[in-house]
Amino acid sequence: MAESKRTVVSKPAGKAKSADRPAAEIAEIFRRLHAIEPEPKGELEHTNAFTLLVAVVLSAQATDAGVNKATRGLFALADTPQKMLALGEDKVREAIKTIGLFRNKAKNVILLSQALIENFGGVVPADRDALVTLPGVGRKTANVVLNMAFGQATFAVDTHVFRVSNALPIATGKTPEAVEAGLEKLVPEPYRLHAHHWLILHGRYLCKARKPECWRCPLNDLCRFEPKTPSPNLPAKKRG
Ligand code: SF4
């Protein structure tokens, strides 16, 4: 999952109508997403809370697959803040040089390892306010770590969650923070823990930014986004 202090958000191609939607419909959206993928997982490889934190920091403006390729070697050498610090910035930089912004990210990995040791006894804190004090860690990274490492029902709003939530809509907003606040309010139990993963997967593989694949979308009848993309198999004049 890409993370950046300057979160890049893509707008849906058309206009979403008001998010004024009955709670039962929101529950139905998540019921369907749950039925398709009961246990959604993040795609960043990690072995503990520290390696997850580093992987999320490295994923800013990079693909999860690209990050995984680099971190397999890095985490074999260093899977704790102490080992990362001992490895040193030059070797971290070398290990992650295939990832965008690698110089700055290598610096942050070392600085955040140092901060974890100095301020948190070498342990990744299960607290958002504490996490965002670490170099390279923004609210979205903190939410991912709280969710995946500590089982907290946080809503990490990346570009996919932002777009899908505004398109359907579930929670609308002009900023990731506004959408996060809306999701906090609207997503019912028992779907809160996995909600952001379902929306990421839905956005990544189906409700794509350039061309949402509405014709095969399981949420089509609940989605107010217009115009919907017709099936490419329909004759041209029926596609409208
Ligand atoms: S129908 Fe599905 S794919 Fe199309 S805009 Fe709505 S949620 Fe996205």
Side-chain angles (χ1 to χ4, degrees), residues 167-168 202 206-207 212-214 217 219-220 223 225 228:
L168 272 158
H202 192 66
L206 227 152
C207 189
E213 298 179 6
C214 306
C217 176
L219 307 177
N220 192 311
C223 176
F225 183 78
K228 297 218 171 40

Side-chain angles (χ1 to χ4, degrees), residues 6-134:
R6 298 172 296 118
T7 306
V8 178
V9 289
S10 52
K11 290 185 187 142
K15 259 196 154 192
K17 292 178 194 154
S18 149
D20 182 16
R21 181 189 276 284
E25 276 184 24
I26 295 178
E28 176 60 15
I29 288 170
F30 287 106
R31 192 197 63 73
R32 291 185 197 178
L33 295 175
H34 170 263
I36 294 163
E37 180 60 74
E39 289 291 327
K41 301 258 185 293
E43 293 179 353
L44 286 173
E45 293 173 12
H46 59 283
T47 55
N48 55 29
F50 173 69
T51 51
L52 173 64
L53 175 63
V54 171
V56 183
V57 165
L58 296 180
S59 72
Q61 293 166 54
T63 63
D64 288 358
V67 172
N68 289 340
K69 224 165 141 186
T71 55
R72 276 175 211 137
L74 177 65
F75 295 158
L77 297 171
D79 60 358
T80 65
Q82 292 83 354
K83 288 184 199 165
M84 198 63 81
L85 204 53
L87 189 64
E89 189 176 325
D90 289 352
K91 287 196 177 138
V92 173
R93 195 187 312 114
E94 181 61 25
I96 65 165
K97 68 183 179 197
T98 51
I99 305 175
L101 312 174
F102 67 97
R103 287 189 183 82
N104 204 33
K105 288 176 182 175
K107 193 174 289 176
N108 277 338
V109 168
I110 292 299
L111 287 174
L112 80 82
S113 300
Q114 201 165 11
L116 280 173
I117 293 166
E118 285 172 7
N119 304 331
F120 302 102
V123 176
V124 176
D127 176 83
R128 188 189 290 124
D129 291 342
L131 282 167
V132 297
T133 65
L134 298 168

